Amino acid sequence: MTTRILTGITTTGTPHLGNYAGAIRPAIVASRNADVDSFYFLADYHALIKCDDPLRIQRSRLEIAATWLACGLDVNKATFYRQSDIPEIPELCWLLTCVAGKGLLNRAHAYKASVDRNIELGEDPDAGVTMGLFSYPVLMAADILMFNAHKVPVGRDQIQHVEMARDIAQRFNHLFGQGKELFTLPEAVIEEDVATLPGLDGRKMSKSYDNTIPLFSGAKQMSDAVARIVTDSKLPGEAKDPDSSHLFTLYQAFATPEQQAQFRAELIDGMGWGDAKQRLNDLLNAELGEPREKYQALIERPADLEDILLDGAAKARKIATPFLIQLREAVGLRSFRSVTTSTESSKKKASKRARFVSFRDDDGSFRFRLLDASGEQLLLSKSFTDGKSAGMVNKHLQSGEPLDVREQGNGFAVWLDGESVATSPEFADAGAMKAAVERLREALAPEQA
Ligand code: TRP
């Protein structure tokens, strides 16, 4: 069976060497695998959550698209597209929004971090928080579930989002799948052996630390950045410790095992930092020189890039369009031509969702409970001396005949033939009790509408 791998790249920046080694290169390698069907896309709707500068959004989309192609992504094998070219994604996002618990989203790290910061500053907890930020994980779930991805390679900070996508998928399957799995449950994959590159100062390479080495901005820009890599002050001829040098870590990410061993030996042997930087620069150019030229050529032909991405979108929509039709059907957004006027199946479903549980009490008598869809107890029957009479009452309650419900305090009893046959628990207040009566009536409603 082929594995569907899917990942998105938020289009707010220009790819640097860390993005290349940590995400782009491994993703392209994975996409070449014969048992893999890969979906890589520009998460440009997600970019709008973080950035309100149209020029930056546009520039970043172009640069990221060109980067992936220049690095060798084969668009005949992989499906490569812009999120914003797939209208099915925001549509699915709405269907998922309607089943995603607000409480679940309250726990999302990105949202929580904003709230915590606001509280610390004495601001309103939601100050500056947009609905885009709050719903970010639902849109990401739509990206993933739209194509029924099995595996989602992401950074550690995104694991929670993939788990939320799983959660939302499960909920949707349960509500609308009628026993079938509408959505595949996705799994996050964290590539353990993929390089997390250190930046110029040794901290993780990241735009927010301003310590990046540019990927394709030019050979000169790259060698200038390499020259700025921080080292210790050992002179040429003095032994260097490769394991405490992030220049060595950077070298390792691009070198064969033999090259690594050689470089290590030479550092210990006293190679000067200037020479070491030259060596790293040569190594980077060997891998990236050709892609850099391809990149420049692509960037100069934006109309061609547009065509490539539109082709990718068409390929993706061959899957998304029919699948969304199926999902709309599942939730009840159906053509009137095909509609059946009976609500029988949904009634059956409602009564199936509440359930009776029979049991023997400690004293040997027979009783049953009625649990609502969430498993909360609505009724506990009186004790019956034999199973048959318990069963008859149980059956009578499900017969669809009008229920005789009598409220008492914050609870209620159900009466049958002049006696109370089952009682509810005490609810917190009259409102909770009324709501429970409502759920009881719904669960036991007659089949004909
Ligand atoms: N949120 C991801 C990030 O910032 C990008 C992304 C959007 C994504 N949709 C996705 C990643 C779907 C994987 C799957 O890194």
Side-chain angles (χ1 to χ4, degrees), residues 6-10 41 43 46 50 83 136 139-141 143-144 152-155 157-158 161-162:
L6 174 145
T7 199
I9 312 104
T10 308
F41 67 96
H46 278 105
K50 298 183 188 163
Q83 182 187 33
Y136 183 108
L139 179 57
M140 188 160 153
D143 294 331
I144 297 170
V152 183
V154 283
D157 60 323
Q158 300 291 321
H161 294 152
V162 181

Side-chain angles (χ1 to χ4, degrees), residues 49-156:
I49 296 169
K50 298 183 188 163
C51 173
D52 57 10
D53 175 355
L55 283 177
R56 176 144 162 238
I57 297 275
Q58 173 63 343
R59 182 83 205 152
S60 174
R61 291 158 93 228
L62 188 68
E63 289 175 346
I64 294 177
T67 298
W68 281 69
L69 296 173
C71 290
L73 180 70
D74 177 359
V75 295
N76 292 314
K77 177 143 180 9
T79 306
F80 188 54
Y81 54 97
R82 288 175 295 210
Q83 182 187 33
S84 64
D85 283 332
I86 316 290
E88 288 82 1
I89 291 175
E91 193 171 347
L92 174 57
C93 183
W94 181 252
L95 301 188
L96 300 179
T97 299
C98 294
V99 306
K102 178 170 180 290
L104 178 77
L105 295 172
N106 285 341
R107 291 194 289 277
H109 299 319
Y111 168 66
K112 249 179 42 189
S114 294
V115 169
D116 290 348
R117 208 172 316 119
N118 282 332
I119 291 173
E120 220 168 274
L121 297 173
E123 305 257 10
D124 181 89
D126 280 332
V129 175
T130 63
M131 285 307 293
L133 175 65
F134 185 70
S135 309
Y136 183 108
V138 190
L139 179 57
M140 188 160 153
D143 294 331
I144 297 170
L145 303 179
M146 183 87 261
F147 298 102
N148 279 317
H150 301 104
K151 307 240 170 213
V152 183
V154 283
R156 288 189 188 281

